[in-house]
């Protein structure tokens, strides 16, 4: 039988939007990796009656209930009391837990108020989940066909307790593993990729193949369920191969990659240096590159030439060209990239010039018209982008323009066509 | 009668932990501000039967159901179909929505596949919630005592659609108002501000006064509940006055402000121009300034001098100085700011040089040591920051360094002390 998990978070602060339900995301990932199916997330506030009904509902529709939050002294241990009552268990005092709580306060040099000791009362017959990251112990018990785990709310206590204490306890329920493999794609929209892969997405059941739209790019995720890691990988491999054949160089990396990371690693591997000349992206390319540790080994610097004067004076773009054609054209993009290569003494330089919005420029160029140029020893390439549309926001135009800049460098490094998508 | 809201998110990616339920947090905040009580969050996967049961449950325990996700072509419009069916409504084709979808694709120059048009089918008699941030329109309808709103899943579509389209529709349910007023504070940590205001925070009940830590700065929020807007404002005003007296120039703005926005507006108001010279922040200052529409009227440009060669060649920093003291020192920060002022012909220039990490530099300077300089016609100022500490990550060092740069400009514009905090 396949187990069904429900995650129930308790906390009015979640319902007020003061905090996000990070626990649910983290635990879902961990549980999937254990091969357990999470079918429901739910959240209720610090209200005994609504919590009781939520626990009863979870008991009826899932056989594994994992609660987060409502364990500490500030909430009167609401979750523990209500869950124990619903499953017909009394709370029992655990002197060793009380000692651990006293020790925790002593070690951190804080005064312990007596209400903290109520955390040492736990449902009869439960396994105690030790809390080495805070004060409230967690617990786990079986009741008939139901398995119940209670974890503290703060993510920095919840996650390590799950991994080190709860996951081994849940190990008995695990049937095989779920593994995902992600491919990152740049250059086509979600619906275009889908129309190419729709049939396969519909046919596949294990592994499954699913697209996810991200800002200016997309992901394809292949997810397999199997008895063990190796079988899961063997299920994923042929589907990955198939997708790679269809999408080819559109695929630029995996789960942990980003366009800038692939660029940085490619430059490092080949011992090449990079510079930037940015108009409409205003420093975004440089910022994204230098977000990454180790950028200094390949990134020499950049010029944010937000005025024509800076384009001319610092990058050496011809004043006549700027006067006659304006800053947003193919030739200026080229001259900026070539100027940056020279001024910054780097192997390759990427440049952007365009209209990020919200208004068109004084030459009448529409929002979203962007030229992205790459200058390298072998030559200079330009992409003309029309990212326009009333709904393309300024930040999206900038993000997409920067993505195209990174994509051009990546393609240059990989020996692929650069100007085309 | 007080309305009860349930937020129901649809998406297997949430149950796998691939994404966090950001929509629930954002919408909870917005709904609280409208005076509506969110009692439940729930999440189900892309499964019609479980979704149907979740919708039925929500109908029975809440009178306002807001769904997020499951609207686009990739999920076969699951949410719309199931919700419509549960409330006994048929889907009707909306030609104007189909046209909007076609326009969206045309404007962005992408090919529209036919499956996108499915999004134009909406429950009969609903109010269409226009999507100006993506393709899937949302909708809202009343059915007996239940109010239903369906929103797209991507947060950048969900939130603006809620604010601009759904919130006015829900306005009819609101009883009284909750109004918040936020003060943004830069320069002191949360615990310092708290120790100054703790007593007042504890005493106040309506309005309440609460601190929120943000990345490198903090917010103070004054929240009042009242029958109408004017009464709420009258409750907030004296508390704001009181806080302003205590914190003085630490307060740099309100809810909609950011340090860079205050800087941009201050420069605009005084007709002054700005330039940047960035080492450790690597373009972050320029990027944040140019995130804002209208930056081009005051921001002339910047130099990201990630190597000493660029600091010397482009900004004119003395080679002897760089050789003898290294790049991370007071004098280099000054020379960079003054060089940028000259090269970029601007009224003021701000410069950063420091160690963002993860490792200390070749001169043995520790991670988190950063010099931030401001050069203006009246002189040049430097702040020496020690942002070190095991927990100061690279991105946090960079964010804080940039915040200090903006804070120095803001203080210069306002005629306040610049080097001190």
């Amino acid at each position: 039988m396949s187990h069904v998990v429900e995650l129930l978070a308790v906390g009015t602060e979640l319902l007020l939007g003061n905090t996000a339900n990070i626990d649910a995301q983290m635990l879902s990932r961990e549980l999937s990796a254990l091969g357990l199916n999470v079918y429901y997330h739910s959240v209720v506030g610090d209200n005994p009656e609504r919590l009781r009904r939520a626990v009863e509902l979870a008991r009826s529709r899932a056989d594994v209930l994992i609660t987060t939050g409502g364990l500490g002294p500030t909430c009167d241990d609401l979750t523990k009391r209500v869950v124990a009552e619903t499953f017909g268990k009394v709370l029992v005092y655990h002197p060793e837990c009380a000692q651990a709580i006293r020790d925790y306060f002593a070690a951190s040099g804080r005064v312990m108020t007596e209400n903290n000791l109520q955390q040492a009362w736990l449902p009869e017959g439960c396994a105690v989940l030790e809390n080495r990251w805070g004060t409230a112990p967690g617990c786990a018990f079986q009741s008939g066909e139901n398995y119940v785990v209670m974890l503290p709310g703060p993510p920095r206590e919840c996650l390590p307790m799950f991994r080190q204490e709860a996951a081994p306890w849940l190990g008995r329920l695990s049937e095989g593993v779920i593994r995902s493999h992600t491919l990152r794609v740049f250059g086509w929209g979600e619906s275009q990729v889908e129309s190419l892969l729709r049939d396969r997405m519909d046919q596949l059941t294990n592994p499954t193949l699913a697209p996810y739209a991200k800002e200016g790019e997309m992901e394809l995720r292949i997810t397999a369920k199997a008895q063990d890691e190796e079988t899961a990988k063997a299920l994923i491999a042929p589907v990955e191969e198939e997708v790679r054949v269809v999408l080819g160089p559109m695929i630029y990396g995996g789960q942990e990659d980003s366009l800038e990371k692939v660029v940085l690693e490619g430059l490092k591997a080949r011992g090449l240096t990079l510079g930037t000349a940015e108009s409409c992206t205003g420093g975004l390319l440089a910022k994204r590159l230098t977000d990454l540790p180790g950028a200094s080994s390949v990134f020499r610097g950049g010029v944010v030439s937000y005025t024509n004067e800076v384009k001319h004076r610092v990058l050496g773009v011809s004043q006549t060209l700027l006067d006659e054609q304006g800053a947003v054209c193919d030739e200026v993009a080229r001259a900026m990239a070539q100027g940056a290569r020279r001024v910054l003494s780097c192997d390759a330089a990427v440049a952007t010039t365009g209209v990020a919005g919200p208004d068109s420029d004084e030459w009448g160029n529409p929002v979203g018209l962007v030229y992205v140029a790459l200058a390298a020893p072998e030559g200079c390439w330009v992409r003309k982008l029309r990212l326009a549309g009333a709904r393309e926001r300024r930040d999206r135009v900038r993000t997409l323009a920067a993505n195209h800049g990174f994509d051009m460098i990546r393609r240059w490094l990989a020996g692929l066509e650069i100007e085309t998508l």
Side-chain angles (χ1 to χ4, degrees), chain A residues 93-213:
Chain A
Y93 184 69
H94 285 242
E96 81 283 7
C97 291
Q99 194 53 49
I101 294 164
R102 281 197 194 90
D103 292 348
Y104 183 87
F105 275 93
S108 59
R110 288 185 296 153
V111 178
M112 189 196 77
T113 50
E114 280 303 306
N115 58 353
N116 278 286
L117 291 180
Q118 77 184 219
Q119 299 171 99
W121 292 81
L122 297 169
E124 55 183 328
C126 73
V128 178
L129 308 181
E130 210 188 313
N131 190 342
R132 292 183 289 279
W133 311 270
T135 59
C139 62
F141 63 83
Q142 186 176 353
S143 169
E145 303 207 321
N146 287 95
Y147 300 83
V148 179
V149 175
M150 289 185 252
L151 301 170
R156 63 183 191 81
E157 299 177 26
C158 178
L159 183 63
M161 186 185 287
F162 180 84
R163 285 185 175 158
Q164 294 184 34
E165 303 275 326
W169 190 86
L170 286 168
R172 66 181 89 175
L173 309 181
S174 174
E175 297 146 353
V177 298
I178 297 180
R179 284 293 176 274
S180 275
H181 188 72
T182 298
L183 297 172
R184 292 191 182 269
V185 179
F186 181 79
W188 284 349
E190 188 177 8
S191 57
Q192 281 164 288
V193 169
E194 247 204 275
S195 63
L196 284 170
L197 295 171
R198 180 82 260 174
D199 287 350
R200 287 301 281 147
M201 289 182 189
D202 288 345
Q203 286 159 8
L204 287 164
T205 53
N206 189 25
T208 56
L209 174 63
Y212 296 91

Side-chain angles (χ1 to χ4, degrees), chain A residues 359-418:
Chain A
D359 304 311
S360 52
D361 72 357
E362 68 269 37
W363 292 71
N365 290 310
V367 174
L369 177 67
V370 180
Y371 293 86
V372 184
L374 173 69
E378 304 90 325
C380 189
W381 299 266
V382 181
R383 275 190 196 166
K384 178 181 183 175
L385 309 174
R386 296 170 182 281
L387 310 169
R391 280 168 274 186
E392 301 290 351
R393 308 175 321 273
R394 181 177 174 88
D395 62 340
R396 193 169 146 81
V397 169
R398 283 156 53 94
T399 300
L400 281 168
N403 285 356
H404 277 277
F406 291 127
D407 187 55
M408 290 172 79
I409 307 169
R410 159 184 94 86
R411 286 170 170 266
W412 168 62
L413 289 167
L416 298 166
E417 286 279 336
I418 295 170

Side-chain angles (χ1 to χ4, degrees), chain A residues 216-238:
Chain A
E217 51 175 292
M218 67 171 298
E219 286 179 18
L220 279 171
R221 199 170 302 140
I222 308 167
T223 306
K225 190 162 187 173
Q227 273 313 104
D228 53 54
E229 175 113 22
E230 231 153 85
T231 316
K233 281 184 178 168
L235 284 167
I236 289 170

